[in-house]
């Protein structure tokens, strides 16, 4: 009923930048929180950043000052600007959204993920 499609991942050198995008589509009435999680090889999925429909943001401590999350409520899209990337940022990045459907029920939706590799 709702799909999240991520884009913008890829290979970047240490110190470089990437911008991830995630667009939601489907039977959407409204979207509450949107955010990004990541999962590195052999590790659990962790929160990167989240943003409410009102624009309040929350970041994991290790991302503060380097990553910026934003959203476009008209386009139902969330962005993650990642600067000063380091090899430890290498992971699959997943988009996440808490969506209220046109049926007025609520669902939590995940994207398929986009791989970010930081390497020289």
């Amino acid at each position: 009923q709702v799909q999240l499609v991520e884009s913008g991942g890829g290979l970047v050198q240490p110190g470089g930048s990437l911008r991830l995008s995630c667009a939601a589509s489907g039977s959407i009435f409204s979207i509450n929180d949107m955010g990004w999680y990541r999962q590195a090889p052999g590790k659990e999925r962790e929160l990167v950043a989240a943003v409410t429909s009102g624009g309040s943001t929350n970041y994991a401590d290790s991302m503060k000052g380097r990553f910026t999350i934003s959203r476009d409520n008209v386009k139902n899209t969330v962005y993650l600007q990642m600067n000063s990337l380091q090899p430890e940022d290498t992971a699959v990045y997943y988009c996440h959204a808490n969506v209220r459907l046109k049926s007025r029920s609520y669902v939590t939706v995940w994207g398929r993920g986009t791989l970010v590799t930081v390497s020289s």
Side-chain angles (χ1 to χ4, degrees), residues 47-65:
L47 172 70
V48 175
V51 58
T52 68
S53 57
S56 297
T57 58
N58 180 40
Y59 295 90
D61 287 344
S62 62
M63 284 63 151
K64 289 180 181 177

Side-chain angles (χ1 to χ4, degrees), residues 36-73:
W36 293 92
Y37 287 70
R38 72 184 186 185
Q39 188 166 18
K43 295 188 177 181
E44 294 186 352
R45 191 172 297 189
E46 62 175 349
L47 172 70
V48 175
V51 58
T52 68
S53 57
S56 297
T57 58
N58 180 40
Y59 295 90
D61 287 344
S62 62
M63 284 63 151
K64 289 180 181 177
R66 299 190 300 128
F67 293 5
T68 302
I69 191 170
S70 61
R71 66 187 280 177
D72 184 328
N73 291 330

Side-chain angles (χ1 to χ4, degrees), residues 100-119:
R100 192 177 189 189
L101 302 175
K102 291 180 179 178
S103 65
R104 300 302 192 263
S105 61
Y106 293 89
V107 295
T108 296
V109 188
W110 291 91
R112 293 188 174 184
T114 184
L115 177 63
V116 172
T117 303
V118 185
S119 175

Side-chain angles (χ1 to χ4, degrees), residues 27-40:
S27 184
I28 299 170
F29 177 75
S30 64
I31 303 177
N32 298 328
D33 294 355
M34 297 187 81
W36 293 92
Y37 287 70
R38 72 184 186 185
Q39 188 166 18

